[in-house]
Amino acid sequence: MISKTKKIKQLVWTSLFAFSVLILGILFFTQIVFLNKYYEIYKTNQLDTIAHEIKQNDDLTISELEDMSYEYGICISIYTNNDTKTVSNLYNRGCLIGDSKTNTEFIANFIESDDTEKTYLLKNSRFGNSNLVRAIKYGNNLYIFLNTSIQPLDDSILILKKQFIYIAGFLLVVSLLIVHFISNKISKPIENISTSAKKMANGNYDVNFSTKSNIVEIEELSDALDLAKKEMSKTDELRKDLMANVGHDLRTPLTMIKAYAEMTRDLENQTPAKRKENLNIIIEETDRLNILVGDILDLSKLQSKTYELNIEEFDLNDLIKEIIRRYYILIDNEGYEFVYENDKSIMVKADKKRMEQVIYNLVNNAVNYTGDDKKIYINLTEKKKTVLVEIKDTGKGIDEKDIKYIWDKYYHNEKKHKRNAFGTGLGLSIVKTILETHGYKYGVKSKLGEGTTFYFEISKSK
């Protein structure tokens, strides 16, 4: 089976060479093959122009006709109705009328006919050339004959043919050089880009798509591929981190579940209290595993846009207080303090379940990274159409250069995974996806040593 695809270099060569041949073919046919025909048409149009001028002027003099004959390079003869020749302007060699060898029967035939105008194509036996004769009835008794010679152009055509062969050869050589230059100029950068793209497809992200080219589209293509390479490299790195971190988070609870299950099975004299403690650990680790799987599924569903938001009105104040109550164990047993001073009902409009995830994940993140004072600040600021929600911790803060990475899955400071006391490492990525799905503004403010504040705006209910 013959492939229909072609390399760009081959395509450029074929196209430009075919274009050169086409141009030469057009020149050959117009300048050589159809030259005689074109010359005849030109002379016919010339006679039409002169005949029109004569018919438009009712008072022509012989002097004016002589000037016209000289200007256009034609012969003009005038006859009366009794076949008496009044004047013949034979300024041009090869004219038919006035030649002693010319058969002038057509003159008498036209005078005797009722025609007012007629064109004849006649052969001059003396010079062997063709002549165009335009007969015009001018007034009642006068007949004007316009005669122009169509000189044979065979000698001129022969000269042009020989000249054309040299010109065609020269132009083909020049066109081949131009084709070679243009094809290399276009195809070489694209071939380099293609080679780099194949390397990148095999997982090599050290390739460089930048190429020297004066073609805007190729420059834009190389820039776009360089950008794609950077994003794919980052995505690949995140993918590797995700696999490593998910594997870590899955392996740890599974290992502990197995260890405590084996301990409970193997220790025959285990006390009920010890057995209960082991089983509680198994349950906790199972819950952690269930949360991780749930977060992965939630994130996958949100990012694939298969989840539809269920917009409803609810009290944001009640929702935040409910989330804080979930941390009563930390408050009572570990000394965490949640600073939230709002008592006013604030009605908002959003997907309540998803906004609960957002606030819970941000609070959970603050719990994991707050400072030694174990304080978490939650603040609401009402605006005209939105409510600004701020959740702040008192931890060590985030370096400015790392802020743009914190929304990535499993991102942690210093690029090292740390198994959180609460959550799975997917929380901020879920927060970002939910807020973007709602179309809400969000962000983070942080200074090293002064803590971090996450914030977002939610629409108020009308």
Side-chain angles (χ1 to χ4, degrees):
M1 183 177 179
I2 300 175
S3 174
K4 293 183 180 180
T5 58
K6 296 180 180 179
K7 289 185 176 180
I8 189 169
K9 190 172 185 177
Q10 181 184 357
L11 188 62
V12 171
W13 266 84
T14 305
S15 301
L16 292 180
F17 185 75
F19 178 75
S20 300
V21 172
L22 176 64
I23 295 299
L24 290 173
I26 293 172
L27 289 174
F28 177 77
F29 280 100
T30 55
Q31 299 299 313
I32 296 176
V33 176
F34 299 116
L35 186 59
N36 277 327
K37 186 65 178 176
Y38 175 77
Y39 183 63
E40 181 180 334
I41 293 171
Y42 169 75
K43 285 294 186 179
T44 302
N45 291 336
Q46 188 182 57
L47 288 183
D48 289 340
T49 302
I50 299 170
H52 180 73
E53 288 184 17
I54 291 173
K55 288 187 290 184
Q56 292 295 317
N57 193 338
D58 295 333
D59 191 22
L60 278 172
T61 63
I62 293 177
S63 176
E64 289 174 334
L65 289 174
E66 288 178 345
D67 291 341
M68 194 178 294
S69 172
Y70 182 80
E71 179 183 353
Y72 288 102
I74 64 171
C75 304
I76 300 178
S77 301
I78 302 174
Y79 290 82
T80 62
N81 56 358
N82 57 8
D83 200 24
T84 302
K85 183 177 177 183
T86 303
V87 64
S88 179
N89 301 307
L90 303 177
Y91 289 115
N92 298 287
R93 181 179 180 271
C95 284
L96 193 69
I97 302 175
D99 193 302
S100 59
K101 293 185 177 182
T102 299
N103 185 352
T104 59
E105 289 183 5
F106 71 94
I107 298 175
N109 292 335
F110 179 75
I111 292 173
E112 292 174 0
S113 70
D114 294 329
D115 295 331
T116 58
E117 188 173 346
K118 192 171 182 179
T119 301
Y120 301 90
L121 179 62
L122 304 170
K123 188 79 172 179
N124 189 325
S125 57
R126 181 188 295 274
F127 299 106
N129 65 317
S130 297
N131 276 253
L132 277 173
V133 177
R134 176 67 60 83
I136 304 170
K137 184 176 182 181
Y138 185 77
N140 295 324
N141 300 318
L142 292 179
Y143 299 88
I144 300 176
F145 292 85
L146 310 177
N147 178 200
T148 183
S149 171
I150 304 177
Q151 297 288 346
L153 301 176
D154 295 343
D155 291 339
S156 300
I157 292 173
L158 184 62
I159 294 172
L160 288 174
K161 270 185 181 178
K162 291 181 179 180
Q163 188 183 51
F164 182 80
I165 292 173
Y166 295 116
I167 293 174
F170 174 75
L171 289 178
L172 284 176
V173 172
V174 172
S175 66
L176 288 175
L177 293 175
I178 293 174
V179 165
H180 177 72
F181 173 76
I182 293 177
S183 64
N184 281 342
K185 194 75 173 175
I186 296 175
S187 65
K188 193 65 177 177
I190 294 179
E191 287 174 358
N192 293 337
I193 290 173
S194 178
T195 302
S196 299
K198 290 176 182 177
K199 292 179 181 178
M200 186 177 73
N202 292 325
N204 180 8
Y205 297 107
D206 293 331
V207 295
N208 183 19
F209 288 102
S210 298
T211 181
K212 292 181 179 179
S213 175
N214 295 326
I215 302 174
V216 174
E217 288 79 3
I218 293 179
E219 288 287 341
E220 290 176 348
L221 176 62
S222 63
D223 292 341
L225 287 172
D226 271 327
L227 180 61
K229 177 197 70 175
K230 293 176 183 177
E231 293 301 318
M232 289 177 66
S233 176
K234 186 170 72 173
T235 301
D236 187 62
E237 183 181 350
L238 291 173
R239 178 184 62 81
K240 292 176 181 177
D241 288 344
L242 177 63
M243 295 300 294
N245 294 325
V246 169
H248 180 277
D249 270 345
L250 288 174
R251 190 183 300 112
T252 302
L254 287 173
T255 301
M256 294 186 69
I257 289 170
K258 181 180 179 181
Y260 279 94
E262 289 176 345
M263 188 184 303
T264 303
R265 180 196 64 185
D266 295 339
L267 294 179
E268 296 179 359
N269 299 324
Q270 194 175 48
T271 63
K274 187 64 176 176
R275 182 179 291 108
K276 183 178 180 181
E277 180 184 346
N278 292 342
L279 292 174
N280 282 336
I281 292 175
I282 291 173
I283 292 171
E284 289 175 0
E285 293 301 322
T286 304
D287 289 340
R288 183 184 297 278
L289 191 59
N290 186 53
I291 292 171
L292 174 63
V293 173
D295 279 355
I296 292 173
L297 292 175
D298 278 345
L299 187 59
S300 176
K301 187 186 296 184
L302 288 165
Q303 291 184 336
S304 64
K305 302 188 186 302
T306 58
Y307 175 82
E308 293 185 4
L309 296 177
N310 180 27
I311 305 298
E312 58 182 311
E313 294 181 359
F314 59 92
D315 191 335
L316 183 59
N317 179 57
D318 289 345
L319 180 61
I320 292 176
K321 286 183 177 180
E322 173 60 30
I323 291 172
I324 292 175
R325 276 196 290 270
R326 299 179 191 175
Y327 292 90
Y328 71 93
I329 296 178
L330 295 181
I331 296 172
D332 292 343
N333 298 338
E334 298 188 32
Y336 280 84
E337 181 181 355
F338 289 81
V339 181
Y340 177 63
E341 300 176 349
N342 183 74
D343 289 325
K344 178 184 175 183
S345 175
I346 300 178
M347 299 302 293
V348 294
K349 194 172 184 180
D351 187 317
K352 183 177 180 181
K353 179 181 177 182
R354 294 304 176 187
M355 295 313 299
E356 182 179 354
Q357 276 184 286
V358 168
I359 298 170
Y360 177 78
N361 285 336
L362 291 179
V363 170
N364 206 52
N365 185 76
V367 169
N368 287 330
Y369 292 103
T370 196
D372 294 335
D373 60 2
K374 297 184 178 180
K375 286 186 176 183
I376 294 94
Y377 295 88
I378 303 173
N379 184 52
L380 302 182
T381 304
E382 286 193 72
K383 297 184 178 182
K384 186 176 181 179
K385 295 183 179 180
T386 61
V387 179
L388 175 65
V389 181
E390 296 175 296
I391 299 171
K392 179 183 178 183
D393 64 58
T394 60
K396 64 180 182 180
I398 305 170
D399 196 321
E400 185 176 353
K401 71 177 186 301
D402 292 328
I403 286 181
K404 60 182 178 181
Y405 298 111
I406 62 173
W407 305 104
D408 295 335
K409 292 185 286 288
Y410 278 113
Y411 173 78
H412 292 277
N413 288 335
E414 301 173 356
K415 299 288 183 181
K416 294 180 180 178
H417 178 66
K418 173 184 175 183
R419 188 167 178 267
N420 296 323
F422 304 93
T424 60
L426 298 173
L428 292 181
S429 186
I430 292 174
V431 167
K432 172 189 175 184
T433 305
I434 292 174
L435 292 175
E436 287 182 349
T437 304
H438 278 80
Y440 291 161
K441 295 180 181 179
Y442 66 94
V444 59
K445 297 179 288 186
S446 184
K447 287 186 179 181
L448 292 177
E450 297 183 14
T452 302
T453 300
F454 286 88
Y455 63 89
F456 67 92
E457 293 186 15
I458 183 172
S459 297
K460 292 172 66 176
S461 172
K462 294 182 181 180

